[in-house]
PDB file of all heavy atoms in Angstrom:
ATOM      1  N   LEU A   1       0.859  -1.078   0.013  1.00  0.00           N
ATOM      2  CA  LEU A   1       0.016  -0.009   0.014  1.00  0.00           C
ATOM      3  C   LEU A   1       0.837   1.227   0.012  1.00  0.00           C
ATOM      4  O   LEU A   1       1.759   1.321   0.787  1.00  0.00           O
ATOM      5  CB  LEU A   1      -0.842  -0.021   1.231  1.00  0.00           C
ATOM      6  CG  LEU A   1      -1.943   1.194   1.354  1.00  0.00           C
ATOM      7  CD1 LEU A   1      -2.965   1.131   0.247  1.00  0.00           C
ATOM      8  CD2 LEU A   1      -2.645   1.251   2.737  1.00  0.00           C
ATOM      9  N   ALA A   2       0.700   2.096  -0.997  1.00  0.00           N
ATOM     10  CA  ALA A   2       1.573   3.295  -1.072  1.00  0.00           C
ATOM     11  C   ALA A   2       0.719   4.518  -1.309  1.00  0.00           C
ATOM     12  O   ALA A   2      -0.350   4.532  -1.945  1.00  0.00           O
ATOM     13  CB  ALA A   2       2.550   3.161  -2.244  1.00  0.00           C
ATOM     14  N   GLY A   3       1.081   5.661  -0.721  1.00  0.00           N
ATOM     15  CA  GLY A   3       0.351   6.860  -0.857  1.00  0.00           C
ATOM     16  C   GLY A   3       1.305   8.148  -0.843  1.00  0.00           C
ATOM     17  O   GLY A   3       2.313   8.081  -0.342  1.00  0.00           O
ATOM     18  N   GLU A   4       0.800   9.178  -1.531  1.00  0.00           N
ATOM     19  CA  GLU A   4       1.533  10.411  -1.607  1.00  0.00           C
ATOM     20  C   GLU A   4       0.591  11.582  -1.552  1.00  0.00           C
ATOM     21  O   GLU A   4      -0.645  11.473  -1.869  1.00  0.00           O
ATOM     22  CB  GLU A   4       2.336  10.612  -2.900  1.00  0.00           C
ATOM     23  CG  GLU A   4       3.552   9.773  -3.113  1.00  0.00           C
ATOM     24  CD  GLU A   4       4.319  10.044  -4.422  1.00  0.00           C
ATOM     25  OE1 GLU A   4       3.550  10.395  -5.340  1.00  0.00           O
ATOM     26  OE2 GLU A   4       5.486   9.866  -4.444  1.00  0.00           O
ATOM     27  N   VAL A   5       1.008  12.659  -0.913  1.00  0.00           N
ATOM     28  CA  VAL A   5       0.315  13.933  -0.919  1.00  0.00           C
ATOM     29  C   VAL A   5       1.255  15.061  -1.178  1.00  0.00           C
ATOM     30  O   VAL A   5       2.429  14.948  -0.788  1.00  0.00           O
ATOM     31  CB  VAL A   5      -0.450  14.096   0.417  1.00  0.00           C
ATOM     32  CG1 VAL A   5       0.423  14.270   1.582  1.00  0.00           C
ATOM     33  CG2 VAL A   5      -1.362  15.259   0.356  1.00  0.00           C
ATOM     34  N   GLY A   6       0.809  16.003  -1.884  1.00  0.00           N
ATOM     35  CA  GLY A   6       1.740  17.259  -2.158  1.00  0.00           C
ATOM     36  C   GLY A   6       1.011  18.570  -2.257  1.00  0.00           C
ATOM     37  O   GLY A   6      -0.307  18.499  -2.432  1.00  0.00           O
ATOM     38  N   TYR A   7       1.738  19.529  -2.347  1.00  0.00           N
ATOM     39  CA  TYR A   7       1.237  20.878  -2.601  1.00  0.00           C
ATOM     40  C   TYR A   7       2.069  21.536  -3.648  1.00  0.00           C
ATOM     41  O   TYR A   7       3.256  21.488  -3.694  1.00  0.00           O
ATOM     42  CB  TYR A   7       1.328  21.743  -1.310  1.00  0.00           C
ATOM     43  CG  TYR A   7       0.634  23.043  -1.351  1.00  0.00           C
ATOM     44  CD1 TYR A   7      -0.670  23.280  -1.117  1.00  0.00           C
ATOM     45  CD2 TYR A   7       1.420  24.274  -1.837  1.00  0.00           C
ATOM     46  CE1 TYR A   7      -1.239  24.466  -1.192  1.00  0.00           C
ATOM     47  CE2 TYR A   7       0.746  25.512  -2.017  1.00  0.00           C
ATOM     48  CZ  TYR A   7      -0.573  25.602  -1.598  1.00  0.00           C
ATOM     49  OH  TYR A   7      -1.143  26.804  -1.697  1.00  0.00           O
ATOM     50  N   ASP A   8       1.334  22.303  -4.558  1.00  0.00           N
ATOM     51  CA  ASP A   8       2.001  22.901  -5.788  1.00  0.00           C
ATOM     52  C   ASP A   8       1.931  24.433  -5.702  1.00  0.00           C
ATOM     53  O   ASP A   8       0.886  25.028  -5.395  1.00  0.00           O
ATOM     54  CB  ASP A   8       1.334  22.434  -7.057  1.00  0.00           C
ATOM     55  CG  ASP A   8       1.544  21.014  -7.449  1.00  0.00           C
ATOM     56  OD1 ASP A   8       2.615  20.511  -7.029  1.00  0.00           O
ATOM     57  OD2 ASP A   8       0.779  20.432  -8.178  1.00  0.00           O
ATOM     58  N   PHE A   9       3.161  24.916  -5.989  1.00  0.00           N
ATOM     59  CA  PHE A   9       3.241  26.385  -6.119  1.00  0.00           C
ATOM     60  C   PHE A   9       3.400  26.556  -7.692  1.00  0.00           C
ATOM     61  O   PHE A   9       4.166  25.955  -8.321  1.00  0.00           O
ATOM     62  CB  PHE A   9       4.524  27.037  -5.466  1.00  0.00           C
ATOM     63  CG  PHE A   9       4.470  26.820  -4.049  1.00  0.00           C
ATOM     64  CD1 PHE A   9       5.222  25.686  -3.403  1.00  0.00           C
ATOM     65  CD2 PHE A   9       3.898  27.706  -3.162  1.00  0.00           C
ATOM     66  CE1 PHE A   9       5.197  25.593  -2.026  1.00  0.00           C
ATOM     67  CE2 PHE A   9       3.806  27.538  -1.753  1.00  0.00           C
ATOM     68  CZ  PHE A   9       4.476  26.429  -1.263  1.00  0.00           C
ATOM     69  N   HIS A  10       2.634  27.610  -8.211  1.00  0.00           N
ATOM     70  CA  HIS A  10       2.514  27.720  -9.692  1.00  0.00           C
ATOM     71  C   HIS A  10       3.118  29.097 -10.149  1.00  0.00           C
ATOM     72  O   HIS A  10       3.023  30.206  -9.416  1.00  0.00           O
ATOM     73  CB  HIS A  10       1.073  27.775 -10.122  1.00  0.00           C
ATOM     74  CG  HIS A  10       0.346  26.504  -9.970  1.00  0.00           C
ATOM     75  ND1 HIS A  10       0.311  25.462 -10.665  1.00  0.00           N
ATOM     76  CD2 HIS A  10      -0.365  26.128  -8.790  1.00  0.00           C
ATOM     77  CE1 HIS A  10      -0.261  24.467 -10.217  1.00  0.00           C
ATOM     78  NE2 HIS A  10      -0.868  24.830  -9.044  1.00  0.00           N
ATOM     79  N   SER A  11       3.924  29.087 -11.218  1.00  0.00           N
ATOM     80  CA  SER A  11       4.362  30.265 -11.874  1.00  0.00           C
ATOM     81  C   SER A  11       4.236  29.967 -13.308  1.00  0.00           C
ATOM     82  O   SER A  11       3.632  29.128 -13.838  1.00  0.00           O
ATOM     83  CB  SER A  11       5.895  30.540 -11.415  1.00  0.00           C
ATOM     84  OG  SER A  11       6.677  29.475 -11.966  1.00  0.00           O
ATOM     85  N   ALA A  12       4.634  31.000 -14.183  1.00  0.00           N
ATOM     86  CA  ALA A  12       4.424  30.897 -15.649  1.00  0.00           C
ATOM     87  C   ALA A  12       4.850  29.585 -16.269  1.00  0.00           C
ATOM     88  O   ALA A  12       4.199  29.042 -17.050  1.00  0.00           O
ATOM     89  CB  ALA A  12       5.006  32.147 -16.285  1.00  0.00           C
ATOM     90  N   PHE A  13       6.124  29.163 -15.988  1.00  0.00           N
ATOM     91  CA  PHE A  13       6.672  28.017 -16.704  1.00  0.00           C
ATOM     92  C   PHE A  13       7.019  26.886 -15.766  1.00  0.00           C
ATOM     93  O   PHE A  13       7.488  25.864 -16.265  1.00  0.00           O
ATOM     94  CB  PHE A  13       7.906  28.514 -17.351  1.00  0.00           C
ATOM     95  CG  PHE A  13       7.734  29.556 -18.445  1.00  0.00           C
ATOM     96  CD1 PHE A  13       8.084  30.913 -18.152  1.00  0.00           C
ATOM     97  CD2 PHE A  13       7.158  29.255 -19.616  1.00  0.00           C
ATOM     98  CE1 PHE A  13       7.948  31.840 -19.082  1.00  0.00           C
ATOM     99  CE2 PHE A  13       6.858  30.245 -20.544  1.00  0.00           C
ATOM    100  CZ  PHE A  13       7.262  31.531 -20.227  1.00  0.00           C
ATOM    101  N   ILE A  14       6.816  27.003 -14.489  1.00  0.00           N
ATOM    102  CA  ILE A  14       7.121  25.966 -13.506  1.00  0.00           C
ATOM    103  C   ILE A  14       6.168  25.756 -12.414  1.00  0.00           C
ATOM    104  O   ILE A  14       5.541  26.714 -11.963  1.00  0.00           O
ATOM    105  CB  ILE A  14       8.596  26.200 -12.901  1.00  0.00           C
ATOM    106  CG1 ILE A  14       8.960  25.098 -12.039  1.00  0.00           C
ATOM    107  CG2 ILE A  14       8.512  27.513 -12.145  1.00  0.00           C
ATOM    108  CD1 ILE A  14      10.412  25.150 -11.543  1.00  0.00           C
ATOM    109  N   THR A  15       5.845  24.420 -12.107  1.00  0.00           N
ATOM    110  CA  THR A  15       5.108  24.160 -10.937  1.00  0.00           C
ATOM    111  C   THR A  15       6.014  23.303 -10.024  1.00  0.00           C
ATOM    112  O   THR A  15       6.617  22.344 -10.420  1.00  0.00           O
ATOM    113  CB  THR A  15       3.859  23.379 -11.360  1.00  0.00           C
ATOM    114  OG1 THR A  15       2.998  24.054 -12.213  1.00  0.00           O
ATOM    115  CG2 THR A  15       2.967  22.916 -10.131  1.00  0.00           C
ATOM    116  N   HIS A  16       6.006  23.641  -8.676  1.00  0.00           N
ATOM    117  CA  HIS A  16       6.967  22.975  -7.806  1.00  0.00           C
ATOM    118  C   HIS A  16       6.321  22.843  -6.373  1.00  0.00           C
ATOM    119  O   HIS A  16       5.424  23.623  -6.079  1.00  0.00           O
ATOM    120  CB  HIS A  16       8.310  23.639  -7.681  1.00  0.00           C
ATOM    121  CG  HIS A  16       8.233  25.075  -7.197  1.00  0.00           C
ATOM    122  ND1 HIS A  16       8.503  25.544  -6.056  1.00  0.00           N
ATOM    123  CD2 HIS A  16       7.855  26.124  -7.967  1.00  0.00           C
ATOM    124  CE1 HIS A  16       8.284  26.792  -5.925  1.00  0.00           C
ATOM    125  NE2 HIS A  16       7.980  27.272  -7.023  1.00  0.00           N
ATOM    126  N   GLY A  17       6.804  22.006  -5.591  1.00  0.00           N
ATOM    127  CA  GLY A  17       6.291  21.874  -4.228  1.00  0.00           C
ATOM    128  C   GLY A  17       6.746  20.601  -3.509  1.00  0.00           C
ATOM    129  O   GLY A  17       7.421  19.744  -4.114  1.00  0.00           O
ATOM    130  N   PRO A  18       6.444  20.593  -2.223  1.00  0.00           N
ATOM    131  CA  PRO A  18       6.864  19.398  -1.397  1.00  0.00           C
ATOM    132  C   PRO A  18       5.964  18.220  -1.564  1.00  0.00           C
ATOM    133  O   PRO A  18       4.843  18.328  -2.068  1.00  0.00           O
ATOM    134  CB  PRO A  18       6.837  19.978   0.021  1.00  0.00           C
ATOM    135  CG  PRO A  18       5.643  20.970  -0.028  1.00  0.00           C
ATOM    136  CD  PRO A  18       5.816  21.599  -1.439  1.00  0.00           C
ATOM    137  N   ILE A  19       6.510  17.092  -1.165  1.00  0.00           N
ATOM    138  CA  ILE A  19       5.937  15.756  -1.239  1.00  0.00           C
ATOM    139  C   ILE A  19       6.115  15.004   0.075  1.00  0.00           C
ATOM    140  O   ILE A  19       7.105  15.013   0.580  1.00  0.00           O
ATOM    141  CB  ILE A  19       6.300  14.851  -2.472  1.00  0.00           C
ATOM    142  CG1 ILE A  19       6.270  15.706  -3.739  1.00  0.00           C
ATOM    143  CG2 ILE A  19       5.476  13.585  -2.479  1.00  0.00           C
ATOM    144  CD1 ILE A  19       6.951  14.857  -4.892  1.00  0.00           C
ATOM    145  N   ALA A  20       5.025  14.344   0.593  1.00  0.00           N
ATOM    146  CA  ALA A  20       5.057  13.415   1.735  1.00  0.00           C
ATOM    147  C   ALA A  20       4.424  12.101   1.300  1.00  0.00           C
ATOM    148  O   ALA A  20       3.354  12.113   0.670  1.00  0.00           O
ATOM    149  CB  ALA A  20       4.565  14.007   2.986  1.00  0.00           C
ATOM    150  N   GLY A  21       4.782  11.002   1.776  1.00  0.00           N
ATOM    151  CA  GLY A  21       4.256   9.674   1.423  1.00  0.00           C
ATOM    152  C   GLY A  21       4.686   8.512   2.256  1.00  0.00           C
ATOM    153  O   GLY A  21       5.482   8.765   3.209  1.00  0.00           O
ATOM    154  N   PHE A  22       4.287   7.331   1.922  1.00  0.00           N
ATOM    155  CA  PHE A  22       4.655   6.082   2.626  1.00  0.00           C
ATOM    156  C   PHE A  22       4.524   4.896   1.729  1.00  0.00           C
ATOM    157  O   PHE A  22       3.770   4.965   0.618  1.00  0.00           O
ATOM    158  CB  PHE A  22       3.608   5.917   3.810  1.00  0.00           C
ATOM    159  CG  PHE A  22       2.274   5.627   3.457  1.00  0.00           C
ATOM    160  CD1 PHE A  22       1.777   4.359   3.225  1.00  0.00           C
ATOM    161  CD2 PHE A  22       1.280   6.691   3.277  1.00  0.00           C
ATOM    162  CE1 PHE A  22       0.474   4.118   2.898  1.00  0.00           C
ATOM    163  CE2 PHE A  22       0.043   6.416   2.989  1.00  0.00           C
ATOM    164  CZ  PHE A  22      -0.343   5.158   2.741  1.00  0.00           C
ATOM    165  N   VAL A  23       5.264   3.915   2.033  1.00  0.00           N
ATOM    166  CA  VAL A  23       5.089   2.590   1.242  1.00  0.00           C
ATOM    167  C   VAL A  23       5.114   1.569   2.371  1.00  0.00           C
ATOM    168  O   VAL A  23       6.141   1.361   3.026  1.00  0.00           O
ATOM    169  CB  VAL A  23       6.231   2.372   0.297  1.00  0.00           C
ATOM    170  CG1 VAL A  23       5.966   0.975  -0.406  1.00  0.00           C
ATOM    171  CG2 VAL A  23       6.352   3.532  -0.730  1.00  0.00           C
ATOM    172  N   LEU A  24       4.035   0.720   2.396  1.00  0.00           N
ATOM    173  CA  LEU A  24       3.934  -0.371   3.418  1.00  0.00           C
ATOM    174  C   LEU A  24       4.044  -1.649   2.508  1.00  0.00           C
ATOM    175  O   LEU A  24       3.303  -1.732   1.460  1.00  0.00           O
ATOM    176  CB  LEU A  24       2.677  -0.417   4.159  1.00  0.00           C
ATOM    177  CG  LEU A  24       2.352   0.997   4.852  1.00  0.00           C
ATOM    178  CD1 LEU A  24       1.030   0.883   5.586  1.00  0.00           C
ATOM    179  CD2 LEU A  24       3.409   1.299   5.898  1.00  0.00           C
ATOM    180  N   GLN A  25       4.696  -2.710   2.892  1.00  0.00           N
ATOM    181  CA  GLN A  25       4.949  -3.886   2.111  1.00  0.00           C
ATOM    182  C   GLN A  25       5.163  -5.123   3.009  1.00  0.00           C
ATOM    183  O   GLN A  25       5.830  -4.992   3.965  1.00  0.00           O
ATOM    184  CB  GLN A  25       6.036  -3.697   1.049  1.00  0.00           C
ATOM    185  CG  GLN A  25       6.256  -4.869   0.125  1.00  0.00           C
ATOM    186  CD  GLN A  25       7.349  -4.651  -0.801  1.00  0.00           C
ATOM    187  OE1 GLN A  25       8.482  -4.091  -0.378  1.00  0.00           O
ATOM    188  NE2 GLN A  25       7.282  -5.078  -2.032  1.00  0.00           N
ATOM    189  N   GLN A  26       4.574  -6.243   2.594  1.00  0.00           N
ATOM    190  CA  GLN A  26       4.766  -7.431   3.154  1.00  0.00           C
ATOM    191  C   GLN A  26       5.103  -8.549   2.048  1.00  0.00           C
ATOM    192  O   GLN A  26       4.191  -8.831   1.254  1.00  0.00           O
ATOM    193  CB  GLN A  26       3.826  -8.020   4.198  1.00  0.00           C
ATOM    194  CG  GLN A  26       4.054  -9.314   4.773  1.00  0.00           C
ATOM    195  CD  GLN A  26       3.009  -9.827   5.711  1.00  0.00           C
ATOM    196  OE1 GLN A  26       2.087 -10.435   5.217  1.00  0.00           O
ATOM    197  NE2 GLN A  26       3.174  -9.569   6.938  1.00  0.00           N
ATOM    198  N   ALA A  27       6.280  -9.118   2.046  1.00  0.00           N
ATOM    199  CA  ALA A  27       6.550 -10.061   1.080  1.00  0.00           C
ATOM    200  C   ALA A  27       6.782 -11.364   1.797  1.00  0.00           C
ATOM    201  O   ALA A  27       7.515 -11.546   2.834  1.00  0.00           O
ATOM    202  CB  ALA A  27       7.861  -9.870   0.215  1.00  0.00           C
ATOM    203  N   TRP A  28       6.098 -12.511   1.182  1.00  0.00           N
ATOM    204  CA  TRP A  28       6.156 -13.903   1.851  1.00  0.00           C
ATOM    205  C   TRP A  28       6.615 -14.832   0.785  1.00  0.00           C
ATOM    206  O   TRP A  28       6.122 -14.717  -0.282  1.00  0.00           O
ATOM    207  CB  TRP A  28       4.785 -14.164   2.401  1.00  0.00           C
ATOM    208  CG  TRP A  28       4.639 -15.605   2.836  1.00  0.00           C
ATOM    209  CD1 TRP A  28       5.144 -16.277   3.924  1.00  0.00           C
ATOM    210  CD2 TRP A  28       4.032 -16.743   2.002  1.00  0.00           C
ATOM    211  NE1 TRP A  28       4.798 -17.554   4.003  1.00  0.00           N
ATOM    212  CE2 TRP A  28       4.136 -17.876   2.882  1.00  0.00           C
ATOM    213  CE3 TRP A  28       3.331 -16.755   0.872  1.00  0.00           C
ATOM    214  CZ2 TRP A  28       3.596 -19.121   2.331  1.00  0.00           C
ATOM    215  CZ3 TRP A  28       2.877 -17.983   0.383  1.00  0.00           C
ATOM    216  CH2 TRP A  28       2.950 -19.124   1.176  1.00  0.00           C
ATOM    217  N   VAL A  29       7.661 -15.749   1.174  1.00  0.00           N
ATOM    218  CA  VAL A  29       7.978 -16.840   0.340  1.00  0.00           C
ATOM    219  C   VAL A  29       7.820 -18.122   1.099  1.00  0.00           C
ATOM    220  O   VAL A  29       8.234 -18.276   2.268  1.00  0.00           O
ATOM    221  CB  VAL A  29       9.516 -16.544  -0.017  1.00  0.00           C
ATOM    222  CG1 VAL A  29       9.903 -17.752  -0.928  1.00  0.00           C
ATOM    223  CG2 VAL A  29       9.762 -15.368  -0.716  1.00  0.00           C
ATOM    224  N   ALA A  30       7.163 -19.121   0.459  1.00  0.00           N
ATOM    225  CA  ALA A  30       6.883 -20.454   1.089  1.00  0.00           C
ATOM    226  C   ALA A  30       8.179 -21.168   1.237  1.00  0.00           C
ATOM    227  O   ALA A  30       9.092 -21.021   0.532  1.00  0.00           O
ATOM    228  CB  ALA A  30       5.848 -21.152   0.193  1.00  0.00           C
ATOM    229  N   SER A  31       8.121 -22.102   2.128  1.00  0.00           N
ATOM    230  CA  SER A  31       9.292 -23.067   2.348  1.00  0.00           C
ATOM    231  C   SER A  31       9.458 -23.874   1.163  1.00  0.00           C
ATOM    232  O   SER A  31       8.624 -24.213   0.463  1.00  0.00           O
ATOM    233  CB  SER A  31       8.906 -23.951   3.651  1.00  0.00           C
ATOM    234  OG  SER A  31       7.736 -24.682   3.436  1.00  0.00           O
TER     235      SER A  31
END
């Protein structure tokens, strides 16, 4: 399960901003 959230600052030729997120993972391999 992965998620991101961010905020954008806008100008004439560029959009930029911070990002925060997470990645949760469980991998299982059988015997």
Side-chain angles (χ1 to χ4, degrees):
L1 181 67
E4 286 184 331
V5 63
Y7 186 88
D8 287 338
F9 299 96
H10 298 274
S11 63
F13 300 104
I14 182 173
T15 300
H16 60 96
I19 307 171
F22 66 89
V23 181
L24 308 178
Q25 185 181 37
Q26 182 182 80
W28 169 78
V29 177
S31 61

